[in-house]
Amino acid sequence: MQQAKKRILLADNAKELLDSIIKSKRALPFEIETAATGPTCLEKITTFKPDLVVVEFMLEGVHGIEILQTIRNTPSVEEAGFILTSYHCLSQNFDSSTLARLDYLLEKPFTPDRLFNLIEQYFAGGLKPDPLPSSQKNVKDLPHTKSSLPSEES
């Protein structure tokens, strides 16, 4: 008897990235659906019922963390894995995501092979969030925000 393919939902507005992932030979063992916006992602979560969701942090229409929280509060998919992708892996994003039971925060840019390595680790039961690299900064430490935020001494 053939085992059902694991279902993966990829949500990102970068069509080229989605195309490169689904056209990869490593995608063959999986059933993959895509979404380009947050509302489409939320709809597909309930209709497709993925085993793993990979979502861009700043997805159009609904924030990636809101999608994660929705999944964790939806009984039919609450146990689905969740990988959040972002160009800006700040400590605030990492902290709020891990509190909502994120499986992994993947910094962009990444290759399809890097993503499939993580997917395989997830389905093998070995994917754990990496600690945020020390090179990642808190938003209050970024140059464009230093003058706009009150100092801790005030």
Side-chain angles (χ1 to χ4, degrees):
M1 190 164 95
Q2 191 174 23
Q3 189 176 8
K5 288 183 173 186
K6 296 290 186 182
R7 295 169 169 245
I8 301 171
L9 176 59
L10 303 173
D12 200 301
N13 61 359
K15 184 176 178 354
E16 306 80 33
L17 175 63
L18 294 177
D19 287 346
S20 69
I21 293 168
I22 61 175
K23 289 178 181 175
S24 169
K25 289 180 183 178
R26 292 183 73 184
L28 293 175
F30 306 104
E31 184 176 347
I32 299 176
E33 289 278 328
T34 62
T37 67
T40 304
C41 179
L42 289 172
E43 179 183 316
K44 287 190 176 191
I45 285 168
T46 58
T47 59
F48 181 59
K49 295 189 176 31
D51 299 298
L52 177 65
V53 182
V54 181
V55 176
E56 161 59 37
F57 183 75
M58 298 298 291
L59 192 61
E60 181 183 327
V62 181
H63 197 274
I65 292 176
E66 291 177 65
I67 292 170
L68 172 57
Q69 290 168 337
T70 299
I71 288 172
R72 295 299 177 238
N73 292 313
T74 304
S76 63
V77 291
E78 68 184 338
E79 295 302 318
F82 197 92
I83 296 175
L84 190 65
T85 67
S86 179
Y87 283 107
H88 308 289
C89 293
L90 299 171
S91 61
Q92 292 90 332
N93 302 350
F94 182 79
D95 293 344
S96 59
S97 301
T98 53
L99 286 174
R101 294 185 11 235
L102 170 81
D103 289 287
Y104 202 87
L105 179 59
L106 177 59
E107 188 170 11
K108 286 182 162 183
F110 59 85
T111 64
D113 277 340
R114 171 78 172 122
L115 178 61
F116 282 111
N117 287 343
L118 294 173
I119 289 170
E120 289 165 3
Q121 284 179 350
Y122 172 77
F123 287 123
L127 184 63
K128 304 286 184 236
D130 285 338
L132 191 65
S134 61
S135 64
Q136 301 303 317
K137 299 180 190 281
N138 188 302
V139 72
K140 70 181 182 180
D141 296 330
L142 296 175
H144 69 278
T145 61
K146 283 192 178 209
S147 62
S148 62
L149 293 175
S151 71
E152 293 178 10
E153 297 171 358
S154 3

